[in-house]
């Protein structure tokens, strides 16, 4: 099934390619225009701002809470019936330490509030919290795809594995353009989007 989109694309491959290109351009703008510094940190509202900016050219639902139940494999994300309440509870979670930030991130991943594009938006949201509270971000190049995916799959039961993997990849180079761009490429590759390199899309 191909999601309804603003480009009226009916091919899943064509949509994936267009989505990757257009949203990566927007992801670069978030950094180059200083927009990341204006986003509300640690809240669903802030995450919506990131998601809306990334996906504004593709989907009408950009930045909007999903209205359907979704699952990945055997795992069902938070039911729509309880999603708003879950998001309010996540908003209230603290994010002053690395452990608290990761716990908040894991809970938001369980909520999976959007119809599409959750992971890509949430990893930027995670880095915003780390930057604001700890003066660090994750160098995603140091987090192997399969290690990340398997750790996130197990994180609702035990988040130790993902905490260890991400803590080992922390860097204080929070304003390094190359680390950000490479991080976007890795983040997208986790989801199978690896046709374009961010460097190629810089205007």
């Amino acid at each position: 099934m191909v999601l309804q989109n603003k480009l009226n694309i009916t091919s899943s491959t064509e949509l994936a390619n267009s989505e990757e290109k257009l949203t990566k351009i927007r992801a670069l703008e978030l950094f180059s225009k200083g927009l990341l510094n204006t986003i509300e940190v640690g809240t669903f509202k802030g995450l919506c701002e990131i998601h809306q900016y990334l996906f504004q050219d593709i989907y009408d639902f950009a930045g909007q809470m999903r209205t359907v139940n979704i699952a990945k494999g055997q795992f069902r994300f938070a039911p729509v019936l309880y999603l708003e309440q879950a998001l309010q509870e996540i908003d209230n979670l603290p994010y002053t330490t690395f452990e608290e930030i990761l716990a908040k991130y894991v809970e938001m991943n369980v909520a999976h509030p959007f119809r599409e594009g959750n992971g890509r938006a949430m990893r930027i949201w995670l880095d915003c919290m780390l930057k604001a509270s700890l003066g660090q971000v994750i160098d995603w190049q140091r987090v192997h795809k399969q290690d990340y995916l398997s750790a996130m799959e197990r994180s609702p039961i035990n988040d130790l594995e993902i905490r260890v993997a991400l803590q080992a990849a922390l860097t204080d180079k929070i304003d390094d353009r190359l680390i950000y761009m490479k991080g976007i490429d890795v983040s997208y590759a986790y989801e199978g989007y690896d046709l374009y390199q961010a460097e190629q899309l810089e205007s």
Side-chain angles (χ1 to χ4, degrees), residues 47 72 77 98 101-110 112 117-127 129-130 138-156 158-170 183-193:
L47 179 58
K72 181 176 284 186
F77 297 106
F98 181 79
I101 291 169
L102 260 291
K104 197 174 178 85
Y105 175 62
V106 166
E107 288 301 316
M108 188 62 83
N109 186 62
V110 172
H112 242 60
N118 289 276
R120 286 165 283 170
M122 279 191 287
R123 284 185 284 276
I124 294 174
W125 182 73
L126 169 61
D127 271 333
M129 286 192 288
L130 290 167
I138 293 164
D139 182 353
W140 293 99
Q141 298 173 92
R142 294 161 57 188
V143 186
H144 187 270
K145 176 179 178 177
Q146 200 49 54
D147 292 344
Y148 171 83
L149 293 176
S150 60
M152 286 303 293
E153 191 175 330
R154 288 187 278 272
S155 66
N158 188 335
D159 68 358
L160 177 62
E161 194 176 344
I162 191 64
R163 272 195 287 123
V164 169
L166 296 187
Q167 192 159 27
L170 287 173
I184 291 297
D185 285 336
V186 171
S187 175
Y188 274 61
Y190 290 160
E191 315 290 344
Y193 296 92

Side-chain angles (χ1 to χ4, degrees), residues 52-115:
Q52 194 281 327
Y53 198 86
L54 289 178
F55 293 94
Q56 60 182 300
D57 305 305
I58 309 292
Y59 299 119
D60 287 326
F61 60 73
Q64 298 178 17
M65 188 175 71
R66 61 180 164 86
T67 57
V68 295
N69 291 323
I70 58 173
K72 181 176 284 186
Q74 298 299 311
F75 186 81
R76 292 189 171 278
F77 297 106
V80 168
L81 186 62
Y82 306 112
L83 184 54
E84 190 170 351
Q85 179 186 342
L87 292 169
Q88 289 173 356
E89 291 173 357
I90 294 167
D91 269 2
N92 291 331
L93 292 175
Y95 57 97
T96 57
T97 68
F98 181 79
E99 290 74 17
E100 288 175 349
I101 291 169
L102 260 291
K104 197 174 178 85
Y105 175 62
V106 166
E107 288 301 316
M108 188 62 83
N109 186 62
V110 172
H112 242 60
F114 308 115
R115 181 68 183 85

